[in-house]
Structures are given as C-alpha cells and as structure tokens.
Amino acid sequence: MSSVLTSLPTTFTPLQGPHYRFECKLRQGDDAERVYSDLTDRTVYEPDYERFATMLPWTANTSRGIVADIREAPSFCLLDGATLTTEGQRAINPTPGEQTTFPRPPHGMLKRYRTPGLTLGLPVTEDRQTESTPISLPPQLQSLHTAWFGRTGSGKSTALITAMLDNHDATAGADILVDPKGDGMAEEYLRAHYARYGDLENVYYFDCSETLPALSFFDIREQLADGIDRTTAVEDTVDHYIEILIGIMGRDRFERAVRSPDIIRYVLKSLFDPVHGMDSFSHRQFQSAVAHLHETRDPPPVVDEDLQAMLGGVAANSKRSFDELMQGVANRIEKIPVDARLAQLFNHVHSDGDARFDLRDVIDEDAVVLIDTGGLRPESRRVVTLVVLSSLWTALRRRAQQDDAGTQRLVNLYLEEAAQLADSDLLANLLSQARSFDLSMTLAMQFPAQLQQANPRAYAELLNNVSTVVTGNVAVDSDLGRRLATDDMPPAAVQNRLRALRRGEWLVSLPAAFGETEPRPFLVESAPLPAGDPNGPEPLSAARETALQGHIDLLGDWTQQQHGLDVRVAGGRQVQRRQPSSASGETDGESARNQDADRVSKSEPESDTAPTAETDVRIDSALPFSTRFPTMVKYSPELHALVCRDCQTRYDPTSDGMKNAISCCHHIDDVDRDDVPICDLPLNLSRNERLRSPYTNAQLQFLQAVYTAHQRRFDPDLEYDLLSDSMIRLQEYTGITHEEVQELVDAEALSVDCKYPHKLYTVTAKGRNAIAVQHREGIAHGHLQGDLSESSYHVAMVEVGRRYIEQAFVEDDSSAAVEAVSYYEVGEGRLDAVGLDTNGDIVVALEAERSNHDTRRAVPEDFDKMAEHRPEASIWIVENRDGAHRVLSSLNEPSDGEPRVEKTYSPNSPPSSFNIDVPGFSEIYTFRNLRAQLDD
C-alpha cells in the first residue's frame, strides 16, 4: 500500500506549471484520520498564501487550498469506479501503448514546415488535439523525394490530391501524375483544380484508354540538337527499351534466353548507326530489321567495328542455333504490337504538323499533366508508365544540357501504385539521380515491402534515398520500422504504433535543410477535403458540375488533337463502317472515328430484286470505305467527289483528283503517303452476282484491290507501290477486317505471299473467278506482261530488276543497252527482264528466283537461257541470303548436266561477297538490297 501511495503524486505532475507545483505528503496515525475525514466530508480549504509566515524569507509559499480551472478541477476528484457508466469506464481506461500518440516536435522546429508546399496534414498533439495550421514540405526540400504509404481505403489518394493541388501553387514547374488505379483519381483532381481556379487551362489530360501521349520513343533527334552526344542518347534509348520489355515479360522470363537481349541491343544500335542508320524510326521498322536478319542472315552495316563483329558472330551460328536465337528475339519484341495501343505508341515518329507531346517543353511550364492508365491492361499500364519515365529522363537531361544549374524549375512527379515498377531499374536510377535534374518524386504505394522481393535495389533506394516518409496503417515491415525508429521508440514500438493508426492518420518523417536538425517522426491528420469534393464542405453546385464536365470533354479533345494519339479503335486506326455514310454525310479520317466498325451482316434476300445494305452501295471506289485519309481532303458520298477542306473546291474521285485536292491549298509533300488511299476500284460485278457470291462486298473489293496491285495499275507515287508498300495498306483502304481477310485465305481465294520485306498477298485462280477476272494472255500475262500464276512478290522482284537495268545500264553511256523491258520471250521461254540494244539484241539478262521444290531444275535452265545470249551482265535477284545460296548450290550441283558454276561459298557468306563472272551469272542481289540501291 505504501508503494501505491508513494507513486500517487505523479498523477498531478501534468497539472504543474512554471509558477505552481504540488507537494504530496504521506500521513499516518491521527494525521491520517484527519485527512480521511476531510475527504469523506468533502472539506474544501480556501487558499491562504498571504499569511504572515509566507512573508518571511527562506520560507515556502504553500497553502492547502487548490487553485484550478475547469479543465484541471476534475483531476482532484475521486470517483467510485463501480458506479460509472460504460462510457465513463471506457474514458478512464488506460490507453494501450500502441495507441499512444507520438510527441509533436517543438513549435519552433515545425515553423519551418508551415509554408506553401506539398501539404502533408494537420499536426496532432500528444493529447490528440488536431492543430488547424497544416504542415507542408517546402519546395527546397522536395527534390529529396517523398514516399507515401497507405492501404486501400486509407485516404491516400485524396490526401495526394490536396498535396498536389497546393504544391502546384507553391512551385513553378510541371506537376505530373501517373495514375494506374482507374478509380477516378485523375477526374477528382480535375474537379478540385476547377473548383480552385475556375478553369482547366494549364492542364494536359490523357485518358490512356482513349488517348496516349504522342511520344516518339525511338527518336534521338532532339537530344542531338540539344548537344547530347550520340552514344549517350542511343544507350539510354536502348536501355529503356530493354527495361520496358522486362516490364512486360518479367525479368526472369525475359532473361531466360541469355543471348536474345544482346541481339536486341545490337540491332537497335545498328538502326541508330550514324552512317547507315537513322536518328528516328518506328517499332515496325525495328521488327523488319530483325526479320531481315533472321531471313537473310545478312548483318546490317555499321561503322562500329566492335558492333559489326558482334552482329557477325550472331550470324555465324549454325542454322538451328541462329533460328533459335532469332526466334527468342522475335518472341520478346512482338510483345509490343500485341497490344494495338502500344503498337501505335511505339510506331509513332513525329514530323512537322503531327500531334506531339514533348516533355522538354512541358517541364518548364506551370502546368499539370494527368496520365490515367487505369483503362489499360496491367502490362500495358507498366509499359506506358515506363515510356513516360523514359521520356521524362530524356527531357531532364536535355534541359540540364541547355540550362545552368540552379536556374531550373522544380518538376514534381507523382507515381501512384509505384510498386508496379518494382522490377525496373529505371525507377531506381531516377531515385538516385533525379535530384541533380531538379526532379522531385512522390512514390505512393500500399507498403514498401512490395518492392523488396521484385527489386532489392529500388527497395533500398526507397528507404535510404527518400527523405520524406508519410505512412498510414501498413503491414509489418521491419526495415520501415528501423527507418522511423528513434532512441525513445525502438523499431518494434514503431511497428506497433503503425498498426494502430486510424484511417486519415499519418506518421510523418521529415528532412531538414543542410545544417539543421530533423524533427522526430510525428503524427498528422489528413488535411480537409479540397473544394469541389462531393463529400467535402464545399461541393460544386449542379450548374458548376455540368460546366466542369464540359471543360473535361474539351480538355480531352484538345489534348488528343494537339498532343495525343487516338487509340479508341482497333489497331490504332480510325475504323469506318463498311456501309458508307448517308447522302448528306462526309467521309474522312475525322468522321470515321465517330463511326463504329460493325459490319452489316449479309443475308439472302427474299427475291433477286430485294435491296440490302450490302448490295446497294458503291463498289467501284474505295473512297467510301477507306480508314485512312489526308487531313486536308474529305470525301462527299452525295457528290462522289473529293473536296478540299480549306476552300471547298471539288475534285474527281480519282488518283489525279486526289493529287489536285491535296495540292489545292497544301503541298503534296505535307502528306504521309500511307494516308492517301487508292481511289478507283474496278470491281465489275452486278448486284445479283454479288448476292450470289459467298463473299461479302468488303472481301470482293479487297480481292480486286490485291489483283489490281499485282497488275501494278495503281499510281505507285501516290496510291500504292507493290515494291515498298505492305498490303495491310490495302486492308485499310478497303475497310476490311483481319478476320475477313483470313476467311479469304482459308477459302483459298487468296494466298499469303510473304511477310518480309512487307506483307503481300496473291489472288488465286479461285479468287479471280470470284471477281470475274479473266486473266487473259497478252493482257494479264505473256510476252511483256507477266507469268501465269505469278506471285505478287515475284512481280515486285522483276520490277526492281527492270528498274535496276534501266538505272545501271540504260542510263550508263558505256553500256549498249538502250531499253529495259520485263517478261521478254526468248525461244520457248521467257526472261524476267532484259536490257536491249538498238538492234533489239539482249545485252543484259535478269532472273528473279523464288525458291521452290523445283529449284535444282529451274535454276540451271534459267542460267542456260541467260548464257545463251552472252550478255554483258547476267543478274540474279533472290529473296534473301539463303535464297542466294540455294541458287549457287543448284548451279554447283544441278539435277541434270554439268555444273554451271564451280566456285562455292560458305553458307554464312553474304551474297555481296560472291565473285563470279560467267555468261549466266555475273551479279546476285537480294530484293531488299537491290531496292535500297535504287532508293539511294
């Protein structure tokens, strides 16, 4: 009992002050009886500090009377616990240790954080009283980075909106939010921004399910212009691309094929070669380069000898090993175009007049950039985020190259669900180096251990290189406990306190300026909900809510038109109905976006004269159905005419009319040639013939387009060139779906000719019957026309050869050739192309050889046909390196007769290294290399 009484005086310690204290004495015997009587009788003694004894020196100024205000008086009351109500008992129960609050830092220390900046919350005192003045992270400390942890439903997103909104006022650079959650955070920010400023004028808003930022990924032009050396620019781009592939596949799967990542690096660097490469290219071009290397085993030319040796080493593998290596490469890079939205993003290479989102321009604006990736698949969300981070890294590096240190505006990056980037070294690199670029990063996630297993380096950077930590009630994390521990509160106690935090409560650990003491971690409550929040004290009125929605719609449209890529339709292209517009409508790329791609199903009519949507349409033109169109031209279905958008002048719906419509108020060079559709489509079928056909109008028109392209009847300079254009363009020009094309292939009306160097189809005899094409000798094939059943690829090879003869021989005064012609009959055979002299004699002969089962017989026969005329040049064109070696092998070991050529070469030797000069063989080229020579 005496020990209890001895400790009782400490109960009154909180009531003491600088001029007033309590002394408690232990009474026994009669003195104790007197004290007990005073308690039971509720005796109150008046203060008597003015007694004579208190005036004497060296005496204490004491009194048994108590002076207390209404808050202190209850501390002197003794209550019978058994008679208390439930609420009363709960109020006097001791607070569990894990629920006791953290000591608040002194007012003088907190004063440094009561400035405009990144609002963190309202400080909570030791007696759990919430102060009214918030604390913020000042701009000068923000480049030390912030981590914000909170479970789902903790109020983290709302707190971040308030923080970001206030920080936008406090800083002059861009505020960039990447939000993958899809819970409406971006729109909630827009609502708060509108409520505060009354407009959305300095905001960029990318809803990535509809609009992706128009970033040019494989593009170093701006970096070079800003003085960044080529090697650094290329290495960064290549490294970031590898990081993106890892983000899609996961590091373990991506690195399972050890050599594939290296080959990806080699080919990308070859495309950036300063002499033989480019400063910008699309992912589609990169895939073509990989496919070319796979099919031909010809390494791309580069000036870097080490890179050349590494590429040569890849090609020198055995065929089986080489195929496995290249298949591993293809399996990885094809993960990008699998998602049509990502394909459009990575294939975008900006040019003058295109929509463009250059972060270098944006980061110095007092602007807000909202990138909402919530509508994408998880893998695509990571990819888009990594592309944004890569572009931001490049923009910051360009700025550092141009501006003096200390003059740059602070850029704030807010990454929601940052743990999605756990396996990316790009995140760790940004954390460790971004502060040198004046970049502040705020990483929000549910708990830090999300990073630990996926990327220990990023986890270490998070705990050691992030100076501001704001955490709510999170799962046990011993490292976080150690990060927040103090002498008075060990890690275990910190973890217990974190588990007891309520929703809207945050434990904050702040940095300090150089030479100043950091405050110990303390507790804050979330700042009040911002104006405009429907659950806050200042929601928008119904009228302002309607106005806000209008502003958001306009903002989305403006962002897309000026800075975005429209990805609302499959394949990243604006898809139009196969059924044309109404008589009063107009067809162009813009209106097509607002139409859906549903086909009108084709059903059997009740009579031959019954009209249907499928039969009562124009079929002699592709213009009503094309999903690609020059921006300055529109098509009028009512007039069946092309119309200049600027001056409304009308032009014929032909190739010449298209050229005139473009040139009316613009220059032909302003147009992306791929956006110019084919015009005339000579499908000569009656309505009844189409009704009886097993194919839809779209399929019949596509067959006609492929056949017309095969016959090279489109304008190659404007509409379609078989030598360089993929027939995917014809699909877009006729509006046919991929599924419908596959139906034609399955029905054997169409054959897939090749996928490299570009996709080509050939209409089969069955397909020609379907579109009523006679394919007559002397018109479609025969002398000077072509071969019967010739493939589109072979037509392209022959035409490249003819142009080469014209350029290298006819235009060369030292050659006797004066004319280059194709499909020239000789005896009972035909040469694919020849150069003729003034007498009509053959002085140059050429054969285009596609490998087939009859190569060992056909190749020697073609050799003999050329050799018979003893030309000054006998030229072979083949598909790829393997094709060249099959030709040489057939001449070394023909199926009949003596060898035509004695020389042999290693299968790894490129055709360009062949040194053979006999009457039937003096030059050999791959199609791609010879076409490149013509382009040069």
Side-chain angles (χ1 to χ4, degrees), residues 591-604:
S591 62
R593 182 172 59 239
N594 300 317
Q595 302 180 18
D596 56 54
D598 294 337
R599 294 295 309 265
V600 179
S601 62
K602 183 177 182 180
S603 58
E604 192 68 31

Side-chain angles (χ1 to χ4, degrees), residues 659-676:
K659 189 179 302 181
N660 293 333
I662 293 171
S663 302
C664 180
C665 296
H666 296 267
H667 193 278
I668 196 73
D669 293 338
D670 296 338
V671 178
D672 181 350
R673 187 175 155 278
D674 287 347
D675 286 335
V676 180

Side-chain angles (χ1 to χ4, degrees), residues 123-161:
V124 176
T125 63
E126 288 184 73
D127 59 355
R128 286 197 172 273
Q129 297 299 308
T130 303
E131 298 185 0
S132 58
T133 304
I135 58 112
S136 302
L137 186 66
Q140 61 268 26
L141 296 178
Q142 290 179 21
S143 61
L144 300 175
H145 306 317
T146 300
W148 204 309
F149 308 126
R151 297 175 184 269
T152 300
S154 63
K156 172 167 51 63
S157 295
T158 303
L160 272 175
I161 289 173

Side-chain angles (χ1 to χ4, degrees), residues 464-771:
N464 302 321
N465 216 11
V466 172
S467 295
T468 301
V469 175
V470 183
T471 179
N473 184 328
V474 298
V476 174
D477 188 316
S478 57
D479 291 318
L480 179 62
R482 284 191 290 271
R483 167 69 173 77
L484 300 173
T486 64
D487 290 341
D488 298 333
M489 190 171 295
V494 171
Q495 293 177 52
N496 289 337
R497 299 289 181 89
L498 289 179
R499 283 197 297 267
L501 291 180
R502 298 190 291 262
R503 184 176 183 272
E505 290 185 335
W506 310 96
L507 180 61
V508 175
S509 175
L510 291 173
F514 185 78
E516 295 182 348
T517 303
E518 293 185 359
R520 291 191 172 192
F522 61 101
L523 199 64
V524 301
E525 281 191 3
S526 292
L529 294 175
D533 191 297
N535 300 314
E538 301 178 64
L540 295 179
S541 65
R544 294 198 73 196
E545 185 70 36
T546 301
L548 168 64
Q549 295 307 316
H551 278 279
I552 293 177
D553 290 342
L554 289 173
L555 174 62
D557 291 342
W558 173 82
T559 302
Q560 182 182 99
Q561 292 168 8
Q562 299 296 321
H563 306 286
L565 302 173
D566 185 356
V567 293
R568 286 178 289 186
V569 292
R573 286 290 171 191
Q574 298 165 345
V575 178
Q576 184 183 353
R577 289 183 189 271
R578 275 290 311 169
Q579 185 177 359
S581 307
S582 63
S584 60
E586 294 174 343
T587 298
D588 54 32
E590 194 169 312
S591 62
R593 182 172 59 239
N594 300 317
Q595 302 180 18
D596 56 54
D598 294 337
R599 294 295 309 265
V600 179
S601 62
K602 183 177 182 180
S603 58
E604 192 68 31
E606 294 181 1
S607 68
D608 287 346
T609 60
T612 69
E614 267 289 288
T615 57
D616 290 354
V617 295
R618 177 178 291 278
I619 62 167
D620 59 351
S621 174
L623 293 175
F625 311 108
S626 177
T627 64
R628 302 187 72 147
F629 235 80
T631 56
M632 66 284 294
V633 179
K634 59 187 176 183
Y635 170 69
S636 170
E638 179 182 14
L639 303 171
H640 185 46
L642 297 169
V643 182
C644 173
R645 282 183 171 277
D646 292 351
C647 65
Q648 304 303 310
T649 302
R650 302 170 185 176
Y651 294 92
D652 292 338
T654 62
S655 175
D656 288 339
M658 177 66 76
K659 189 179 302 181
N660 293 333
I662 293 171
S663 302
C664 180
C665 296
H666 296 267
H667 193 278
I668 196 73
D669 293 338
D670 296 338
V671 178
D672 181 350
R673 187 175 155 278
D674 287 347
D675 286 335
V676 180
I678 58 177
C679 297
D680 291 326
L681 199 59
L683 179 59
N684 297 314
L685 293 177
S686 68
R687 184 166 64 86
N688 287 340
E689 286 175 321
R690 285 182 282 129
L691 285 172
R692 290 192 294 269
S693 172
Y695 306 115
T696 64
N697 279 347
Q699 291 172 322
L700 294 171
Q701 287 180 299
F702 184 64
L703 287 173
Q704 183 64 59
V706 172
Y707 181 77
T708 305
H710 174 278
Q711 296 293 301
R712 298 181 44 248
R713 295 174 187 166
F714 292 124
D715 180 349
D717 295 325
L718 189 67
E719 292 181 298
Y720 180 84
D721 187 354
L722 191 67
L723 276 61
S724 57
D725 294 339
S726 169
M727 285 190 173
I728 292 175
R729 298 288 84 78
L730 297 181
Q731 291 179 230
E732 295 168 340
Y733 299 155
T734 56
I736 191 173
T737 66
H738 292 289
E739 292 76 15
E740 289 173 305
V741 173
Q742 188 58 47
E743 288 175 5
L744 291 173
V745 174
D746 294 341
E748 299 182 348
L750 192 71
S751 65
V752 179
D753 203 356
C754 65
K755 296 180 180 179
Y756 181 85
H758 49 277
K759 193 162 193 175
L760 294 175
Y761 295 99
T762 299
V763 180
T764 65
K766 183 177 180 181
R768 293 196 297 269
N769 290 334
I771 55 177

Side-chain angles (χ1 to χ4, degrees), residues 404-462:
D404 295 331
T407 65
Q408 300 163 351
R409 296 185 177 189
L410 181 69
V411 179
N412 282 281
L413 173 65
Y414 306 87
L415 286 179
E416 260 285 11
E417 300 298 330
Q420 68 166 326
L421 306 177
D423 55 356
S424 170
D425 286 337
L426 182 55
L427 176 64
N429 289 337
L430 275 173
L431 282 171
S432 62
Q433 300 182 44
R435 66 189 59 171
S436 63
F437 294 138
D438 283 313
L439 171 67
S440 164
M441 297 178 65
T442 298
L443 307 181
M445 64 190 76
Q446 294 191 30
F447 48 91
Q450 286 178 295
L451 289 174
Q452 190 171 20
Q453 292 184 346
N455 193 337
R457 181 189 166 203
Y459 179 71
E461 289 286 347
L462 182 70

Side-chain angles (χ1 to χ4, degrees), residues 249-460:
M249 298 184 65
R251 189 173 297 275
D252 290 342
R253 283 184 60 207
F254 179 77
E255 295 179 346
R256 194 171 297 160
V258 179
R259 292 283 287 150
S260 295
D262 292 336
I263 299 172
I264 292 173
R265 291 179 184 275
Y266 300 160
V267 178
L268 280 175
K269 290 181 179 180
S270 74
L271 290 176
F272 279 121
D273 186 82
V275 175
H276 305 284
M278 300 166 279
D279 294 339
S280 62
F281 53 87
S282 66
H283 195 274
R284 188 179 295 114
Q285 290 172 293
F286 170 48
Q287 286 182 279
S288 295
V290 170
H292 173 68
L293 177 59
H294 190 181
E295 293 193 21
T296 67
R297 301 183 73 172
D298 282 334
V302 292
V303 296
D304 186 329
E305 293 182 358
D306 292 332
L307 180 58
Q308 186 177 29
M310 289 185 285
L311 285 165
V314 172
N317 281 277
S318 68
K319 186 176 187 308
R320 178 177 178 180
S321 297
F322 180 74
D323 286 342
E324 290 176 351
L325 289 173
M326 296 308 297
Q327 189 58 51
V329 171
N331 289 343
R332 281 152 180 77
I333 67 175
E334 286 172 358
K335 295 295 186 291
I336 295 292
V338 164
D339 187 319
R341 295 168 177 144
L342 297 184
Q344 186 170 359
L345 175 62
F346 280 85
N347 284 324
H348 176 69
V349 180
H350 72 77
S351 58
D352 292 343
D354 287 346
R356 181 182 179 190
F357 187 61
D358 188 350
L359 277 168
R360 172 63 190 92
D361 296 334
V362 175
I363 56 177
D364 283 338
E365 296 179 14
D366 189 15
V368 176
V369 181
L370 304 177
I371 301 176
D372 183 356
T373 64
L376 305 177
R377 296 182 301 112
E379 296 83 0
S380 300
R381 293 176 203 160
R382 287 196 295 272
V383 171
V384 172
T385 303
L386 288 170
V387 170
V388 170
L389 295 187
S390 171
S391 299
L392 179 59
W393 172 274
T394 300
L396 292 167
R397 187 186 288 279
R398 288 168 55 196
R399 183 175 74 168
Q401 189 74 20
Q402 294 175 306
D403 299 345
D404 295 331
T407 65
Q408 300 163 351
R409 296 185 177 189
L410 181 69
V411 179
N412 282 281
L413 173 65
Y414 306 87
L415 286 179
E416 260 285 11
E417 300 298 330
Q420 68 166 326
L421 306 177
D423 55 356
S424 170
D425 286 337
L426 182 55
L427 176 64
N429 289 337
L430 275 173
L431 282 171
S432 62
Q433 300 182 44
R435 66 189 59 171
S436 63
F437 294 138
D438 283 313
L439 171 67
S440 164
M441 297 178 65
T442 298
L443 307 181
M445 64 190 76
Q446 294 191 30
F447 48 91
Q450 286 178 295
L451 289 174
Q452 190 171 20
Q453 292 184 346
N455 193 337
R457 181 189 166 203
Y459 179 71

